[in-house]
């Protein structure tokens, strides 16, 4: 009889330990909802980021533009779609927004032959970006937007750059192709 009691105690202890582990890790389980909001690593307030996010939502609710980059680079025809009101329901979830140091004018000249004074207003855009340098870029898993640090204090320009990247985040959440964004 002592062996059976010992086994029952062991099973109970293991079940309790497993339950505690699952509860402690539940926020990192796939599909677990993350808190709404930003991980704000900018000089701007949380309210500023929310205002830019809401402007991006409104923009997509009015019209969906899927190829601004293609139009700029290749003079392609616009790929415009009616607004998508679902954009108004998309919320940032632990969405990191942060500056990244600008690439130097020397680096830009050496890598792509572009002459620009410092600060360049550009950062390296890692894969899967379809350009080597950009003013900003976004990843969607995890949600992240980085921008050239020199834009931080450029008021309307900063807002415009972030609004475009926030639109990309929203479009990705809605399942749109971002190939030419």
């Amino acid at each position: 009889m002592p062996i059976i009691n010992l086994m029952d105690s062991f099973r109970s202890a293991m079940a309790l330990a497993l339950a505690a582990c699952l509860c402690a890790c539940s926020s990192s389980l796939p599909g677990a909802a993350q808190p709404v909001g930003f991980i704000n690593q900018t000089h701007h307030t949380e309210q500023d980021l929310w205002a830019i996010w809401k402007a991006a939502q409104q923009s997509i609710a009015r019209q969906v533009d899927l190829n601004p980059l293609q139009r700029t680079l290749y003079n392609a025809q616009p790929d415009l779609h009616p607004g998508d009101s679902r954009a108004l329901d998309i919320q940032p979830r632990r969405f990191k927004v942060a500056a990244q140091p600008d690439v130097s004018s020397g680096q830009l000249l050496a890598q792509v032959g572009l002459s620009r004074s410092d600060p360049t207003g550009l950062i390296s855009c890692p894969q899967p970006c379809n350009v080597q340098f950009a003013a900003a870029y976004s990843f969607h898993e995890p949600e992240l937007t980085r921008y050239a640090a020199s834009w931080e204090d450029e008021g309307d320009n900063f807002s415009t750059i972030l609004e475009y990247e926030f639109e990309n985040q929203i479009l990705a959440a809605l399942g749109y192709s971002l190939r030419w964004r």
Side-chain angles (χ1 to χ4, degrees):
M1 232 338 163
I3 292 176
I4 292 174
N5 287 341
L6 183 60
M7 290 301 288
D8 287 341
S9 295
F10 178 75
R11 283 188 192 121
S12 294
M14 290 304 289
L16 185 59
L18 179 61
C21 180
L22 288 175
C23 288
C25 299
S26 65
S27 65
S28 62
L29 291 174
Q34 295 290 325
V36 170
F38 299 96
I39 299 172
N40 184 358
Q41 296 181 344
T42 74
H43 298 159
H44 298 270
T45 67
E46 191 86 5
Q47 292 82 4
D48 291 339
L49 295 182
W50 275 110
I52 297 167
W53 182 268
K54 289 182 184 315
Q57 288 176 309
Q58 291 295 325
S59 176
I60 292 169
R62 281 190 304 277
Q63 184 177 53
V64 177
D65 182 353
L66 293 177
N67 72 335
L69 185 59
Q70 185 183 33
R71 288 195 317 269
T72 301
L73 294 175
Y74 305 112
N75 203 28
Q77 291 297 311
D79 186 6
L80 303 174
H81 298 264
D84 190 334
S85 63
R86 297 177 303 157
L88 302 173
D89 296 326
I90 303 297
Q91 300 298 319
R93 299 209 174 266
R94 295 196 43 79
F95 175 16
K96 185 177 183 179
V97 183
Q100 182 172 316
D102 292 35
V103 296
S104 70
S105 58
Q107 182 182 5
L108 200 56
L109 184 61
Q111 290 187 0
V112 294
L114 182 61
S115 179
R116 208 167 177 161
S117 62
D118 286 320
T120 61
L122 298 173
I123 55 176
S124 293
C125 192
Q127 292 297 324
C129 289
N130 48 11
V131 294
Q132 191 171 355
F133 298 101
Y137 66 85
S138 292
F139 289 142
H140 314 292
E141 290 186 25
E143 291 178 337
L144 162 73
T145 289
R146 293 214 182 259
Y147 57 90
S150 63
W151 291 108
E152 183 84 53
D153 297 317
E154 292 295 320
D156 288 345
N157 290 330
F158 174 82
S159 295
T160 300
I161 289 167
L162 247 57
E163 183 177 334
Y164 178 82
E165 294 303 327
F166 288 2
E167 287 174 6
N168 288 342
Q169 291 285 348
I170 294 165
L171 289 169
L174 293 173
Y176 286 91
S177 169
L178 300 178
R179 180 174 180 214
W180 291 108
R181 293 247 347 149

